[in-house]
């Protein structure tokens, strides 16, 4: 059975973490490990995490909860710690407050991974899908504006981040070798996804579309709070991967698209 590592980075997340851990606990797929990387929270986050770990011990099947709480150098430093700790075949980052649409979501993802195994027996590099936006109460707001293409490649992100980070399941052996670049404060996830997909192409590995909604994403966080700085970083990232001319003309198109 394919193993999944779910990584949740927290800091003072006592109000949002319960929704996420409950979502993971209720998945009907058993071979899951949940890694909680906490930045030395000063609220009740760790109490919630420890209660979650204790409750998970009563579940049947294979389920492993790993918790670490210590100061870090920011979000992407914590995410790099999670990368190093993951032991699953695939990994995904699920924010505190984000949750799965239903109890069978992980089963759907892992079934797609199995169906996408190559003729020479290799697992796909990435499994991906769609994302819904929810409010602080977990109520549906809208479908994410950018939606996944039928066939995803690293070039697809010229059109924007078409797959939400939380709906992007990467093979752990590939992902662990590609650290989040700490020079980016708000958009290192965009750069990371592109580099993972570049490596997939280099290894001639498929990216598999689940044609399903994989995440209910709570609209908040650093990227939302620092939207302008995030956009500037994304521009720099696109220049790095796609060149200045392509990036310039794509952003002209983004501006037109936003108006109409």
């Amino acid at each position: 059975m394919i193993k999944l590592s779910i990584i949740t980075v927290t800091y003072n997340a006592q109000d949002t973490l319960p929704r996420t851990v409950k979502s993971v606990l209720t998945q009907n797929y058993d071979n899951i490990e949940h890694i909680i990387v906490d930045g030395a929270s000063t609220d009740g986050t760790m109490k919630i995490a420890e209660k979650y770990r204790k409750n998970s011990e009563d579940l049947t099947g294979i389920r492993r909860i790993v918790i670490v709480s210590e100061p870090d150098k920011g979000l992407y430093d914590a995410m790099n710690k999670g990368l190093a700790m993951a032991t699953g075949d695939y990994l995904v980052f699920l924010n505190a407050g984000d949750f799965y649409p239903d109890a069978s979501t992980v089963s759907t993802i892992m079934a797609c991974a199995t169906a996408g195994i190559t003729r020479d027996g290799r697992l796909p590099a990435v499994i991906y899908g769609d994302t819904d936006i929810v409010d602080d109460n977990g109520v549906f707001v809208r479908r994410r504006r950018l939606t996944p293409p039928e066939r995803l490649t690293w070039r697809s992100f010229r059109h924007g981040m078409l797959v939400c980070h939380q709906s992007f399941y990467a093979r752990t052996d590939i992902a662990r070798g590609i650290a989040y670049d700490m020079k980016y404060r708000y958009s290192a996830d965009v750069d990371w996804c592109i580099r993972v997909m570049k490596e997939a192409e280099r290894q001639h590995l498929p990216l598999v579309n689940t044609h399903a909604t994989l995440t209910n994403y709570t609209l908040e966080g650093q990227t939302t709070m620092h939207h302008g700085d995030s956009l500037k970083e994304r521009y720099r990232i696109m220049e790095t991967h796609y060149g200045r001319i392509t990036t310039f003309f794509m952003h002209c198109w983004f501006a037109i698209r936003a108006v109409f």
Side-chain angles (χ1 to χ4, degrees):
M1 180 183 280
I2 298 171
K3 183 177 180 180
L4 172 65
S5 296
I6 300 170
I7 303 168
T8 300
V9 173
T10 60
Y11 181 70
N12 289 347
Q14 65 177 13
D15 295 330
T16 54
L17 182 59
R19 186 162 69 199
T20 303
V21 298
K22 180 181 178 181
S23 174
V24 176
L25 274 176
T26 55
Q27 289 301 297
N28 61 19
Y29 190 87
D30 288 324
N31 203 1
I32 295 173
E33 72 170 354
H34 196 177
I35 300 169
I36 298 175
V37 184
D38 182 71
S41 290
T42 56
D43 65 354
T45 300
M46 287 307 298
K47 183 177 180 180
I48 293 168
E50 290 295 346
K51 182 180 179 180
Y52 166 48
R53 175 159 57 186
K54 183 178 180 180
N55 289 343
S56 71
E57 293 173 356
D58 298 329
L59 295 175
T60 57
I62 306 167
R63 202 172 291 242
R64 176 172 177 259
I65 312 300
V66 181
I67 303 169
V68 59
S69 182
E70 61 188 21
D72 54 49
K73 298 176 183 177
L75 173 63
Y76 295 115
D77 179 40
M79 291 170 75
N80 280 333
K81 291 179 183 180
L83 281 178
M85 295 168 65
T87 64
D89 299 292
Y90 286 92
L91 60 81
V92 68
F93 288 87
L94 196 66
N95 294 337
D98 300 341
F99 58 100
Y100 287 113
D102 57 57
S104 64
T105 302
V106 172
S107 291
T108 297
I109 296 163
M110 295 300 101
C112 288
T114 300
I117 292 175
T118 64
R119 290 182 178 179
D120 57 355
R122 296 183 297 164
L123 287 167
V126 174
I127 313 298
Y128 66 96
D130 220 321
T131 304
D132 284 345
I133 306 298
V134 299
D135 63 18
D136 289 338
N137 296 315
V139 177
F140 175 83
V141 175
R142 58 179 169 83
R143 181 72 103 187
R144 186 172 181 264
R145 183 175 61 83
L146 297 179
T147 57
E150 179 62 31
R151 182 176 179 274
L152 181 69
T153 75
W154 68 269
R155 297 170 185 82
S156 301
F157 276 29
R158 290 177 299 178
H159 302 278
M161 194 174 188
L162 300 183
V163 179
C164 181
H165 193 213
Q166 287 73 25
S167 297
F168 186 94
Y169 287 68
R171 245 178 55 175
T172 302
D173 58 341
I174 295 174
R176 240 192 332 244
I178 302 173
Y180 288 86
D181 193 332
M182 296 284 289
K183 72 183 178 187
Y184 301 119
R185 293 185 62 190
Y186 309 112
S187 296
D189 52 340
V190 180
D191 171 70
W192 181 80
C193 287
I194 293 171
R195 288 189 289 136
V196 166
M197 291 187 288
K198 280 186 171 182
E199 180 60 21
E201 183 175 281
R202 190 189 71 81
Q203 294 190 31
H204 305 289
L205 289 169
L207 313 180
V208 175
N209 190 345
T210 62
H211 300 100
T213 300
L214 304 186
T215 317
N216 287 327
Y217 173 76
T218 303
L219 193 59
E220 58 183 1
Q222 286 198 60
T223 301
T224 303
M225 292 186 291
H226 302 276
H227 186 62
D229 292 328
S230 175
L231 290 177
K232 291 176 184 177
E233 280 193 356
R234 290 187 182 209
Y235 193 96
R236 288 165 50 202
I237 289 166
M238 287 184 66
E239 280 190 329
T240 298
H241 292 288
Y242 307 121
R244 290 185 176 181
I245 295 175
T246 296
T247 300
F248 173 77
F249 281 108
M250 288 306 303
H251 277 75
C252 290
W253 164 240
F254 294 163
I256 296 171
R257 183 176 63 185
V259 172
F260 296 98

